[in-house]
Amino acid sequence: MSTKSSFHETVVTITNQDGFTLSSDKFPFETTLSLAPLVAYWEKKAASDPNCNLARVRELANLLRQKPELLEPIHNLAVIDKNIDTVDILMEDIFPSALWENDLKAAVLPFHFESFYATPRLEELQLLGGENYTERLSIDQKTLLFRQTLSAYTLILDKFYNANFTVDKPFIFTIKDKFTMLERHYKLDIDLKFMEVKAKGDIKKLTAQEINFLINRYNNLDLWMQKIPPQNFEFSGFAIYDFTDVTNEETISSLRYDLLDKDSVSSREGFENLQQKLRVLFNLPDIRLGIASCPAKQEFDTNFARKLWNGLVLTNSCNLKLEDLDSSIYDPVIKKGHTIVVEDLKVFQNATPVEEDLLNAGVRNLIIAPLQFEGSTIGVLEIASPIPGELNALSTIKLKEILPLFALAMNRSMDELRSSIQSIIKEKFTAIHPIVEWRFTQAAINLLDKTDRNIRAEIEPIVFKDVHPFFGVSDIRGSASERNKAIQGDLLEQLVLAKEIILAAKEELDLSILDELLYKLDKFSQNILNELTSGDEGIVLEFLREEIESLFPYFQAKSPSMAAPINLYRLAISNPYKAVYNKRKAYEESMHKINETISNFLDREEHKAQKIFPHYFEKYRTDGLEYNIYIGSSLLNNKHFEPIYLKNMRLWQLMLTCEIARRIHKLRPSLKLPLEITQLLLVHSEPISIRFRQDEKKFDVDGANNIRYEIIKKRLDKATIRGTEERLTQPGKIAIVYMLQKEAQEYMRYIEFLQSEGYVEQDVEHLEIEEMQGVQGLKAFRVKVNMQDELRHNIETGDELLAIAQSATLN
């Protein structure tokens, strides 16, 4: 029977060692070593290969006639040893003499790990043979038996039932190098062309449905053994085992896996594990690893930074400060992002105390490399050796492969310490914007196609070139100071309520301690009025709970008249925070209402703007709201892009920003705290490339030339006007930041149109922006938004920003 037409090739990937069923405790099939398939190979070669050396084949035939025992099943390996000269000739096509000394190859009994013929180098490594081969494979005997049995059944299905599926799980052997005592990894490839399976008696027939039923239950080999009894088959011949050194690949893969662990660079155990794997990667048993964070300057000398200092000299217990690294070998790494290789620290000129500390630690030779994330150096990685010259410039080639892995791990650890910024748990997958979903689908299909063809591959990079960026920010002015004022007000109110209770107690109770409590309450109030520091809130609340609130039961027991002020106090703190939360609640509700108003309006109008030209859009909540828009033909599947779409989008963005300002202005009277917003737009006329980053699950600029755009975005929130301390962004105004004169000319035309529509007033401020770190030469327009109720266009009565922008096309 043939089931070939009913089945495609199915790949079965073994992903774990649990969950399978196999009652047998030994390989259930009969196996026999035989050289008959090899002899048949030579006979076929003599008959079909015109280049075959027939004289050599005849010589081999004569030898075999004299050694008939080699043509029979071999039950004793002594037969091989006795006739090794003839076996050498039989094996010369499989084991070419030119590769004999260097190959890692062996001929092995069917489904065993004992070789009867192997290259010298393989025998020297002792990868095969012995009783502990399962330890070298890092799997238990039961799992190995399951995999061998399943592999045997794949051959039976192929030959007798014409239904193919493949077990895709390579064997990786791990041994220790006898010189370095470091782990080496070898991947095993198995060639079965000299092994055959034979049926003993009639073959039990199975329908296509029965075969499919078994394949879908590949874990249950007891079921397979019932349907296809192993005693009905035998395997004869031998397998060719070919080993490849994959130490680098396995080590990097293992490093990648380890660095996903949140404790990989911060825990002692994780750090030592990484260090050992780097020793394996570089094949140097005595090298040492060092990792240290290098956050912003204001954080460098804090305990925050030192939590991630596990370096050679930058340890969490060292006394070094940022200025101590000036002029040292760390200086160009931290400040310029250079990688430094020092062949011998002992002959290093102009040594500083830092180099002396390294020498005292036994370091003579080292590499220091920057860990960079989003264009910034966030840490340093050190690899050091006590032997001069052991690490050199060639070592940095391997280092380049792993630096991004360490940088990502360092960034994640720093993010976890900044737990107030974001959660430490990230979603495995991210929502994909509908506009670019086609490209992710295409990449997934390509990956599946390669997998179906047994081609190992990773997801291809997602890059969109020549897209035009838009960036806008609506920020709540003075949010930090407003938050502090709210905390300050709530604390003062709670202190006043507490003071009323103590004053009432003094009228009823003659206790000197009450005067001391009044003194503390007044002192706290005065300090908070003068200045609220970061720790004041916790100190005050702790005092109130431990020294004031704890007295309430005593006061009420002594004097029933105390119930009234105590009940007022308890009512004021009857919320989840157990503290007065009136002004903070007003602040938070007002900020939430502003953000919701902006976000909802932006979502609504942006959805409509997709009609101008489909584009990528993303927004982020901060104390206000910021957004990115990317537009360009590469974002779309087979759609042409015209410059007119870009002009429409720029005009639309300006009108949108004006409408946001007007809406928040109307909203202010209804807010419990009348917060104000400031707005800023960044103009960037040159197209950029963006790449989807698998680690961050988001798009970011791609390429060094585009990094400046990202740097400018991050700096603008603190921008001031040149020669003054005045902030660029001001309530009721829109700041439009640009770099090139052609951008200024284009946006002046848009501003003139907005003036004609009544969106902005006539005065336009032309400003230069004070230089910022890494950013200079920026200029800006600043226009005041017309907050009057009536405009010629009213989008609430049906007019559309989209239609207005399209009607005002500027060529």
Side-chain angles (χ1 to χ4, degrees):
M1 114 179 216
S2 174
T3 61
K4 195 74 171 179
S5 60
S6 302
F7 292 94
H8 297 292
E9 180 176 308
T10 303
V11 178
V12 176
T13 303
I14 310 296
T15 58
N16 56 58
Q17 300 178 2
D18 302 319
F20 60 77
T21 303
L22 179 62
S23 300
S24 177
D25 58 359
K26 64 179 181 178
F27 189 65
F29 294 93
E30 182 181 343
T31 60
T32 306
L33 173 61
S34 172
L35 299 183
L38 183 57
V39 174
Y41 162 82
W42 281 105
E43 291 173 346
K44 181 179 179 182
K45 185 170 183 177
S48 60
D49 187 354
N51 298 318
C52 180
N53 188 336
L54 293 177
R56 186 69 166 160
V57 175
R58 292 192 190 99
E59 178 188 353
L60 179 58
N62 290 332
L63 285 171
L64 288 171
R65 278 193 289 271
Q66 298 169 22
K67 311 285 179 65
E69 56 191 335
L70 290 178
L71 301 176
E72 301 295 328
I74 299 171
H75 300 288
N76 189 340
L77 292 182
V79 174
I80 300 293
D81 296 334
K82 177 183 173 183
N83 299 284
I84 192 64
D85 292 340
T86 303
V87 173
D88 283 340
I89 297 172
L90 283 168
M91 293 288 185
E92 64 183 15
D93 263 23
I94 306 171
F95 296 83
S97 56
L99 304 176
W100 176 253
E101 295 297 330
N102 293 320
D103 264 1
L104 298 174
K105 188 179 287 190
V108 181
L109 282 68
F111 297 103
H112 288 73
F113 288 92
E114 298 282 347
S115 66
F116 65 88
Y117 193 85
T119 60
R121 187 156 174 257
L122 183 61
E123 289 187 333
E124 180 185 358
L125 289 176
Q126 297 181 345
L127 284 170
L128 296 174
E131 297 180 355
N132 63 338
Y133 58 86
T134 54
E135 294 179 11
R136 290 172 233 154
L137 284 167
S138 298
I139 56 176
D140 58 70
Q141 184 67 44
K142 189 74 174 177
T143 303
L144 178 61
L145 179 61
F146 171 81
R147 288 181 56 183
Q148 289 176 305
T149 305
L150 183 60
S151 295
Y153 272 116
T154 66
L155 299 176
I156 293 171
L157 282 188
D158 181 32
K159 181 170 182 178
F160 297 103
Y161 295 98
N162 211 19
N164 300 336
F165 74 103
T166 305
V167 179
D168 181 23
K169 179 69 174 179
F171 288 113
I172 303 294
F173 284 72
T174 301
I175 61 171
K176 285 193 175 181
D177 186 284
K178 66 179 181 181
F179 297 109
T180 66
M181 297 308 292
L182 297 173
E183 288 185 344
R184 306 293 298 176
H185 305 285
Y186 298 88
K187 178 184 174 182
L188 171 60
D189 290 314
I190 303 176
D191 187 343
L192 300 178
K193 69 171 164 250
F194 296 109
M195 191 171 75
E196 56 185 24
V197 56
K198 299 177 182 177
K200 297 190 293 185
D202 295 334
I203 302 296
K204 181 179 180 181
K205 292 185 178 182
L206 296 175
T207 65
Q209 289 74 22
E210 288 176 307
I211 295 173
N212 192 51
F213 182 84
L214 288 177
I215 291 175
N216 286 327
R217 290 157 183 79
Y218 73 91
N219 274 350
N220 188 352
L221 289 188
D222 283 349
L223 177 63
W224 284 62
M225 292 168 70
Q226 293 174 20
K227 298 289 186 180
I228 309 175
Q231 60 268 24
N232 293 346
F233 302 90
E234 65 174 330
F235 291 89
S236 62
F238 61 93
I240 302 298
Y241 282 10
D242 195 354
F243 290 89
T244 305
D245 189 332
V246 291
T247 301
N248 282 0
E249 293 87 341
E250 283 294 306
T251 303
I252 291 174
S253 176
S254 181
L255 277 171
R256 181 180 289 110
Y257 178 82
D258 289 347
L259 287 168
L260 290 174
D261 189 332
K262 64 183 180 68
D263 297 324
S264 58
V265 297
S266 56
S267 71
R268 170 52 57 181
E269 181 181 357
F271 176 82
E272 290 179 351
N273 183 47
L274 294 174
Q275 178 174 259
Q276 185 62 23
K277 288 181 178 175
L278 285 182
R279 290 171 174 171
V280 172
L281 182 64
F282 287 91
N283 200 27
L284 298 172
D286 297 319
I287 62 173
R288 290 166 54 192
L289 170 66
I291 309 173
S293 63
C294 180
K297 183 176 180 180
Q298 65 270 19
E299 294 178 337
F300 193 91
D301 298 323
T302 65
N303 289 333
F304 170 83
R306 292 172 187 269
K307 287 181 183 293
L308 293 176
W309 280 14
N310 202 355
L312 302 174
V313 292
L314 292 174
T315 63
N316 54 21
S317 59
C318 75
N319 295 319
L320 287 173
K321 296 186 179 298
L322 183 61
E323 56 267 23
D324 296 330
L325 301 182
D326 290 345
S327 303
S328 75
I329 56 177
Y330 290 86
D331 195 34
V333 182
I334 294 172
K335 292 182 179 177
K336 298 182 179 179
H338 293 167
T339 296
I340 300 299
V341 181
V342 182
E343 293 191 6
D344 189 355
L345 199 59
K346 205 163 190 178
V347 297
F348 185 77
Q349 297 180 349
N350 304 318
T352 70
V354 173
E355 284 78 35
E356 293 175 4
D357 287 346
L358 287 169
L359 283 169
N360 292 335
V363 174
R364 291 284 298 275
N365 171 219
L366 80 159
I367 298 174
I368 307 174
L371 297 177
Q372 295 185 320
F373 187 82
E374 293 187 346
S376 299
T377 299
I378 63 169
V380 294
L381 182 142
E382 309 149 303
I383 302 178
S385 169
I387 302 172
E390 197 168 49
L391 295 164
N392 50 47
L394 291 176
S395 304
T396 62
I397 297 175
K398 287 184 179 178
L399 200 58
K400 286 180 180 178
E401 295 186 68
I402 61 173
L403 280 177
L405 306 177
F406 278 89
L408 289 175
M410 175 64 74
N411 183 70
R412 184 171 57 252
S413 294
M414 292 170 69
D415 280 348
E416 287 167 0
L417 288 176
R418 299 185 183 102
S419 58
S420 60
I421 300 174
Q422 62 179 3
S423 171
I424 62 171
I425 301 173
K426 294 183 177 180
E427 292 292 334
K428 186 176 181 181
F429 300 101
T430 185
I432 302 300
H433 194 281
I435 295 301
V436 294
E437 187 174 355
W438 68 271
R439 183 63 185 88
F440 287 84
T441 302
Q442 184 184 78
I445 291 172
N446 292 341
L447 181 63
L448 288 172
D449 179 59
K450 291 176 182 177
T451 304
D452 289 342
R453 291 185 283 123
N454 274 348
I455 299 175
R456 289 189 173 275
E458 295 184 358
I459 193 76
E460 61 197 53
I462 306 294
V463 179
F464 296 102
K465 297 183 178 180
D466 296 327
V467 298
H468 295 272
F470 293 70
F471 176 69
V473 181
S474 296
D475 198 17
I476 294 176
R477 169 48 56 94
S479 57
S481 61
E482 292 292 344
R483 184 185 293 109
N484 279 343
K485 287 179 185 177
I487 295 172
Q488 189 179 40
D490 284 338
L491 287 177
L492 288 172
E493 182 180 342
Q494 192 165 347
L495 286 168
V496 168
L497 290 171
K499 185 176 180 179
E500 291 294 330
I501 294 171
I502 301 302
L503 289 172
K506 275 180 62 65
E507 295 179 2
E508 301 290 337
L509 304 170
D510 185 18
L511 296 172
S512 299
I513 191 64
L514 297 177
D515 292 320
E516 194 270 342
L517 291 176
L518 284 173
Y519 168 75
K520 281 190 174 181
L521 288 169
D522 288 339
K523 186 175 181 181
F524 278 132
S525 298
Q526 189 61 45
N527 289 342
I528 291 170
L529 277 171
N530 292 335
E531 182 184 9
L532 180 69
T533 61
S534 59
D536 285 348
E537 182 182 7
I539 294 171
V540 170
L541 291 177
E542 183 180 10
F543 167 75
L544 290 171
R545 287 164 185 164
E546 293 185 1
E547 298 198 36
I548 302 295
E549 294 174 21
S550 62
L551 296 174
F552 290 175
Y554 172 76
F555 288 161
Q556 287 181 298
K558 288 293 184 180
S559 175
S561 63
M562 295 290 296
I566 290 175
N567 288 339
L568 280 175
Y569 183 97
R570 284 174 171 165
L571 182 63
I573 66 169
S574 60
N575 56 63
Y577 306 101
K578 300 301 180 185
V580 173
Y581 212 78
N582 299 326
K583 291 181 172 56
R584 274 173 287 187
K585 184 179 180 182
Y587 166 79
E588 290 173 358
E589 289 180 356
S590 298
M591 186 171 70
H592 176 74
K593 198 169 183 179
I594 289 174
N595 282 336
E596 282 298 297
T597 299
I598 297 173
S599 181
N600 292 339
F601 178 72
L602 183 58
D603 286 342
R604 187 188 82 181
E605 296 303 316
E606 186 278 328
H607 179 72
K608 296 176 186 177
Q610 293 287 349
K611 299 174 186 176
I612 297 178
F613 191 78
H615 55 272
Y616 182 88
F617 171 78
E618 60 185 4
K619 64 180 179 181
Y620 304 97
R621 288 280 185 95
T622 55
D623 278 349
L625 187 142
E626 64 181 54
Y627 63 88
N628 291 309
I629 294 175
Y630 301 110
I631 184 171
S633 58
S634 65
L635 290 167
L636 304 176
N637 194 8
N638 301 321
K639 187 157 185 175
H640 188 59
F641 175 76
E642 294 289 348
I644 193 66
Y645 300 135
L646 183 60
K647 293 181 179 181
N648 273 329
M649 283 294 290
R650 286 171 176 165
L651 178 56
W652 168 85
Q653 185 189 27
L654 271 172
M655 298 171 67
L656 175 80
T657 309
C658 292
E659 287 286 354
I660 289 174
R662 289 168 57 81
R663 272 159 177 70
I664 301 307
H665 179 74
K666 291 179 182 178
L667 182 69
R668 285 191 71 203
S670 66
L671 300 176
K672 292 182 178 179
L673 190 64
L675 300 172
E676 294 183 299
I677 68 165
T678 62
Q679 298 200 87
L680 178 143
L681 304 179
L682 173 61
V683 180
H684 190 82
S685 58
E686 298 301 319
I688 64 173
S689 296
I690 58 173
R691 176 186 292 266
F692 185 78
R693 298 177 49 160
Q694 295 288 349
D695 52 311
E696 292 291 307
K697 299 294 185 288
K698 70 172 186 177
F699 280 102
D700 204 350
V701 296
D702 185 43
N705 294 335
N706 299 316
I707 291 297
R708 187 168 185 264
Y709 175 73
E710 284 296 316
I711 293 174
I712 292 172
K713 284 167 54 178
K714 294 180 186 302
R715 302 279 191 269
L716 280 177
D717 63 326
K718 303 297 183 185
T720 59
I721 298 172
R722 175 168 289 187
T724 74
E725 295 184 0
E726 181 185 346
R727 293 282 292 272
L728 173 64
T729 54
Q730 294 294 331
K733 296 183 179 182
I734 299 172
I736 305 167
V737 179
Y738 64 92
M739 288 162 270
L740 305 176
Q741 185 58 34
K742 66 176 183 179
E743 296 168 344
Q745 293 171 352
E746 179 181 350
Y747 270 77
M748 270 307 301
R749 297 170 69 181
Y750 301 151
I751 291 171
E752 289 173 4
F753 173 76
L754 292 181
Q755 288 170 338
S756 70
E757 291 291 323
Y759 273 106
V760 298
E761 297 185 2
Q762 292 300 312
D763 290 338
V764 179
E765 298 177 84
H766 298 262
L767 308 170
E768 292 187 5
I769 298 175
E770 191 69 60
E771 291 186 7
M772 297 171 284
Q773 182 183 358
V775 179
Q776 56 187 356
L778 294 182
K779 298 181 180 181
F781 297 124
R782 198 162 63 184
V783 293
K784 187 174 183 180
V785 179
N786 178 12
M787 301 299 184
Q788 293 178 7
D789 291 339
E790 294 184 5
L791 294 174
R792 190 165 69 88
H793 293 284
N794 188 340
I795 66 170
E796 296 304 327
T797 60
D799 289 336
E800 295 283 356
L801 288 179
L802 171 64
I804 300 169
Q806 289 175 328
S807 67
T809 298
L810 300 173
N811 296 316

